Amino acid sequence: MSHGINQDVTAVKAKRTFRHLRWWVLVLFLLGVTINYITRNSLGILAPELKTSLGITTEQYSYIVGAFQLAYTLFQPLCGWLIDVIGLKLGFMICATLWAIICILHAGAGSWLHLAILRFFMGGAEAAATPANAKTIGEWFPKRERPIAAGWAGVGFSIGAMLAPPIVYFAHVSFGWQGAFMFTGGLALAWVLLWWLCYHNPERHPNLSKDELAFIQQDNEPPPVKQPFLTALRNVAKNRRFYGIAIPAFMAEPAWAVLSFWVPLYLANERGMDLKQIAMFAWLPFLAADLGSAASGYLTRLYVKLFGCTRINSVVASSVTGACMMVALALVALTEDPYIAIALISIGGFGHQIISCMLSALVVETFDRGQMATVNGMRGSAAWIASFLFSLLIGVTADRIGFNPLFIAMGFFDLIGAIFLIAFIAERRTARA
């Protein structure tokens, strides 16, 4: 009798599956990355008040930003390797818990040095987001869906930055700048619990149907091989294709650093906006970035349909399209109208996210599953080296020469990156024959 009841219970459990579960998993990951960016960008939104309250100079603020970027640069390969070795669920959960707690501790900062130390450790923990992105796409999507999945995953990176200004402003008005850090850190802890309860690998997910699992695994990729950290880095560094991804990432990231950390200060110093006005307008470039993320994957299909591009070349072509749009940032220096400046920065945000998502897509297209998180971490390190150096440059030059020369430089960086992308990644006609 009891045996029959157990069979019935098993049958009920077996039927509890969800259609298109891979997309729901992507939404869960996207939510985590969204909160990652809300906690990250809280500093930029609060920068004008923090400078006044804690007596921080522009140069000292650049050190605070640089501390985050330095840690993000150093820890991305390590976080990627950790996720490859211990798994996405546990690895990402550990890192998310750390960044949530450190964000809450920001409320106790009393000087720029305190903030710099906290931002360094927060950057080390948040560095897991980029490699986790590649791992999620590689584990849950077949190759033909990965460019589109990468585009939608990129939405999380920009939607968090888009939502940060109004959320942080609301928390600031309600609880002060200390409460704003505690509120955003609390959001991150809530997501950690959701991730732990809901995420499982495809092979172990109780709500994944056998048909969808077979669809996900249709490419018959070999099982991932776990390697020691230094061995993994060495193997990736020997691969020519890595530099076709890493160099464009290096050229692209300064623009995103400016959007994330410096645009609020730019709007305050150069355009005379107060915190309320910044909250009203600073999210628009990130809305454009969201649209760029979502559009990027579908743009690859358009290149395949109209020009017969291979899957790799369609991704390259989409990225080059984004690089051309980045020229809009150079035009910011030519306008006196703050609203036109925001519109041009928004076009740059759209273009940047096309590039960023397509570089992630190239990682999962050109490297095996056992390397994806590590490679994307190394790509992220290359990007954040540029981000770190550019922020330090802004810190020592912005008060002297303003932001206009920096916007002009950012407008052309990605066109240089596109040259390396075409040279090292694009497939030649002989390769397609």
Side-chain angles (χ1 to χ4, degrees):
M1 181 69 176
S2 61
H3 179 68
I5 293 174
N6 289 337
Q7 283 184 327
D8 292 339
V9 171
T10 302
V12 170
K13 287 183 178 179
K15 293 179 181 178
R16 200 177 299 162
T17 59
F18 297 97
R19 294 185 63 192
H20 309 299
L21 183 64
R22 63 194 183 281
W23 294 103
W24 288 107
V25 169
L26 188 64
V27 168
L28 175 63
F29 174 78
L30 187 151
L31 179 61
V33 173
T34 297
I35 294 173
N36 176 293
Y37 261 77
I38 291 173
T39 58
R40 178 184 310 187
N41 285 25
S42 56
L43 177 74
I45 304 303
L46 296 170
E49 178 168 343
L50 289 171
K51 287 185 68 180
T52 302
S53 299
L54 301 180
I56 299 172
T57 67
T58 300
E59 188 170 350
Q60 288 170 339
Y61 178 71
S62 75
Y63 297 152
I64 296 169
V65 173
F68 181 96
Q69 294 169 323
L70 177 62
Y72 208 92
T73 301
L74 296 174
F75 281 88
Q76 280 195 74
L78 182 60
C79 289
W81 172 80
L82 179 71
I83 289 170
D84 275 333
V85 171
I86 71 173
L88 178 61
K89 179 172 183 173
L90 183 59
F92 200 33
M93 187 199 73
I94 291 171
C95 294
T97 303
L98 289 174
W99 89 58
I101 293 172
I102 295 168
C103 183
I104 293 171
L105 293 177
H106 278 52
S111 69
W112 75 267
L113 184 58
H114 292 164
L115 278 175
I117 293 170
L118 287 167
R119 294 302 285 188
F120 180 85
F121 288 107
M122 188 175 180
E126 291 203 347
T130 298
N133 177 35
K135 195 71 169 179
T136 303
I137 295 168
E139 287 192 349
W140 278 91
F141 291 88
K143 286 186 175 181
R144 62 191 175 104
E145 284 191 339
R146 288 175 185 173
I148 291 177
W152 282 107
V155 170
F157 289 87
S158 48
I159 199 171
M162 182 190 76
L163 294 176
I167 289 176
V168 173
Y169 177 74
F170 164 78
H172 171 266
V173 170
S174 303
F175 314 115
W177 68 263
Q178 295 93 338
F181 283 122
M182 295 178 70
F183 179 79
T184 53
L187 287 178
L189 284 177
W191 178 83
V192 168
L193 179 61
L194 186 65
W195 176 259
W196 180 250
L197 293 175
C198 298
Y199 184 82
H200 305 277
N201 291 337
E203 295 82 2
R204 300 178 182 176
H205 205 297
N207 305 117
L208 182 66
S209 69
K210 292 181 179 179
D211 288 343
E212 187 170 5
L213 178 61
F215 178 81
I216 292 169
Q217 297 178 339
Q218 65 181 269
D219 300 304
N220 295 318
E221 295 174 283
V225 177
K226 298 177 181 179
Q227 300 175 336
F229 179 58
L230 294 179
T231 302
L233 297 187
R234 195 161 47 245
N235 288 340
V236 173
K238 292 178 181 178
N239 194 323
R240 182 173 181 267
R241 294 174 300 174
F242 168 71
Y243 298 98
I245 297 171
I247 294 174
F250 180 90
M251 303 306 297
E253 197 63 24
W256 192 248
V258 170
L259 263 65
S260 298
F261 299 112
W262 291 98
V263 161
L265 206 58
Y266 165 75
L267 295 177
N269 292 353
E270 302 273 331
R271 304 295 179 173
M273 293 187 176
D274 58 25
L275 185 60
K276 184 177 180 179
Q277 290 173 313
I278 291 171
M280 288 175 63
F281 294 106
W283 59 273
L284 289 172
F286 298 108
L287 173 61
D290 284 334
L291 298 176
S293 296
S296 60
Y298 297 100
L299 188 59
T300 63
R301 289 190 172 182
L302 189 63
Y303 277 114
V304 170
K305 184 176 181 180
L306 294 181
F307 303 106
C309 294
T310 64
R311 190 167 62 229
I312 294 292
N313 283 352
S314 70
V315 175
V316 171
S318 297
S319 186
V320 172
T321 301
C324 293
M325 297 183 71
M326 295 300 290
V327 177
L329 290 180
L331 302 179
V332 172
L334 304 180
T335 181
E336 297 292 330
D337 191 315
Y339 303 108
I340 294 178
I342 291 171
L344 291 170
I345 293 171
S346 297
I347 293 172
F350 187 97
H352 172 85
Q353 277 305 93
I354 291 178
I355 299 168
S356 182
C357 292
M358 292 301 92
L359 292 179
S360 290
L362 285 172
V363 170
V364 297
E365 284 281 353
T366 55
F367 290 88
D368 64 54
R369 289 174 58 193
Q371 293 180 305
M372 286 178 186
T374 302
V375 173
N376 219 26
M378 293 175 68
R379 173 188 76 90
S381 283
W384 278 75
I385 289 171
S387 178
F388 169 68
L389 295 175
F390 203 74
S391 284
L392 293 182
L393 179 64
I394 293 174
V396 298
T397 62
D399 287 343
R400 298 184 180 94
I401 65 173
F403 283 83
N404 284 344
L406 303 170
F407 275 111
I408 292 172
M410 288 186 294
F412 295 97
F413 280 169
D414 287 292
L415 292 177
I416 298 171
I419 295 172
F420 288 93
L421 188 66
I422 294 169
F424 290 169
I425 298 293
E427 295 176 336
R428 307 298 186 259
R429 290 187 179 275
T430 53
R432 297 200 304 266

